[in-house]
Amino acid sequence: MVNHKARTTQAPLFVYDEMVATKASIAKPAAERRGLEAAVGTDTFSVGGPASAPLPIIPPRIISQVLPIYPESAIQSGAAGVVIIEAAILSTGNLGPLKVNTTSGIAELDQAVVTAVSQWKFSAATQGGAAIASVFKIPIRFVLR
């Protein structure tokens, strides 16, 4: 008897360039969008047998974004830090659940990132022309200058 194990599908993971929020309440990409890093943990599909290559995955694109606002209370207390947020992008392009992957240790900064990213609009990642769900990690650094 053959025992077939259920295969779990893992969404590909993409990492966005770090953004910087300054006390001027404006966040900017750390570098002009040089593109996204390679997908991590992507699922592959065999189309023509064992010798066929996996179809390439095109990362999701940010259609519009709201930049995080440096909270006034954090500026006055001299708080700074990095928040890495993980955003699920559904195959429809809609934003799924958000999760603070790495906290800054300062609740106001973490919340500013969640508030901003929850308003972003995306196009879905695609593989072989078909929309797929993915995960996007976005590092945002708050610095006082």
Side-chain angles (χ1 to χ4, degrees), residues 44-87:
T44 59
F45 302 93
S46 179
V47 177
S52 57
L55 297 171
I57 295 177
I58 309 299
R61 285 186 316 107
I62 298 172
I63 296 171
S64 68
Q65 65 186 34
V66 173
L67 301 176
I69 296 173
Y70 210 129
E72 188 62 36
S73 60
I75 292 170
Q76 290 180 1
S77 68
V82 177
V83 179
I84 300 176
I85 193 156
E86 193 172 285

Side-chain angles (χ1 to χ4, degrees), residues 19-21 27 66-71 81-87 95 98-104 106-120 137-142:
M19 298 177 70
V20 177
V66 173
L67 301 176
I69 296 173
Y70 210 129
V82 177
V83 179
I84 300 176
I85 193 156
E86 193 172 285
L95 185 62
L98 292 175
K99 173 177 118 181
V100 174
N101 185 270
T102 303
T103 180
S104 64
I106 301 152
E108 293 93 343
L109 299 182
D110 295 352
Q111 186 57 50
V113 170
V114 170
T115 299
V117 175
S118 68
Q119 299 174 65
W120 290 21
K137 281 190 180 181
I138 306 151
I140 299 175
R141 180 179 302 276
F142 289 87

Side-chain angles (χ1 to χ4, degrees), residues 1-5:
M1 182 168 175
V2 178
N3 184 9
H4 295 283
K5 291 186 177 180

Side-chain angles (χ1 to χ4, degrees), residues 5-11 43:
K5 291 186 177 180
R7 191 170 108 178
T8 58
T9 303
Q10 184 177 6
D43 198 12

